[in-house]
Amino acid sequence: GQQVMQIPQYQHVQEGEDFTTYCNSSTTLSNIQWYKQRPGGHPVFLIQLVKSGEVKKQKRLTFQFGEAKKNSSLHITATQTTDVGTYFCAGVRSGNKLVFGAGTILRVKS
Amino acid sequence: DGGITQSPKYLFRKEGQNVTLSCEQNLNHDAMYWYRQDPGQGLRLIYYSQIVNDFQKGDIAEGYSVSREKKESFPLTVTSAQKNPTAFYLCASSIGRTATYEQYFGPGTRLTVT
């Protein structure tokens, strides 16, 4: 079945460094959503991308959707300790289901 | 104060027992979902419901059952047939009936079966 692969699995950065997580699908996605889960918490919706080549920004976070709608990325500029958590991408596939990537765990050293 | 509640936060059961996890929402959302989260893995869909009195199997429905008798409630029963039930269970809801709407998650129930 359709899978969504996410890399890296884990990243440990110094505060102030940038961070990027990548999401790749074996098939074309109609939409892609991004969620953040703080340690011990539950996933919280960040954003949804719909259009081919779309780029959206939320303060220090930049989200991109690939031209072929098979890949996406989340880039955080100048990480802060409040950015720690697991970032998940989730692609919308046929049958009205979201399929989640395995997530990227971000740790920030202050 | 609107949102999704799940209870209890932690649940312990003996192997061979059925257990029901509660999920309630007062957001007036149509769709509700149950996911399972294991360490190092993403969320895997167990069941979802787009409307009252109707629900569909997700990717890992074996050993689980659900009901949707009220719009606000979507309880999940983990049966003794589920071979590896220890996990973190998350309930979610969305205002629309398709997966193109953002999902709101509850705080989760951590189930341990020994």
Side-chain angles (χ1 to χ4, degrees), chain A residues 24-41:
Chain A
N24 291 287
S25 170
S26 53
T27 58
T28 301
L29 301 169
S30 58
N31 307 46
I32 194 155
Q33 297 178 2
W34 285 90
Y35 291 80
K36 176 184 178 180
Q37 184 175 23
R38 293 182 185 275

Side-chain angles (χ1 to χ4, degrees), chain A residues 9 30-31 33 35 37 40-46 48 86 88 91-93 95-103 105, chain B residues 9 33 35 37 40-43 45 48 50 57-59 88 90 97-108:
Chain A
Q9 183 177 1
S30 58
N31 307 46
Q33 297 178 2
Y35 291 80
Q37 184 175 23
H42 58 274
V44 175
F45 175 83
L46 293 176
Q48 176 166 253
T86 303
F88 293 99
V92 179
R93 65 179 187 186
N96 281 322
K97 298 175 190 174
L98 270 183
V99 56
F100 281 80
I105 300 171
Chain B
K9 188 169 184 175
Y33 307 83
Y35 293 93
Q37 186 174 29
Q41 298 193 38
L43 282 64
L45 183 64
Y48 65 103
Q50 294 171 303
K57 290 182 179 180
D59 298 317
F88 187 46
L90 287 157
R97 297 178 183 177
T98 68
T100 56
Y101 292 86
E102 69 177 275
Q103 295 188 10
Y104 294 77
F105 284 83

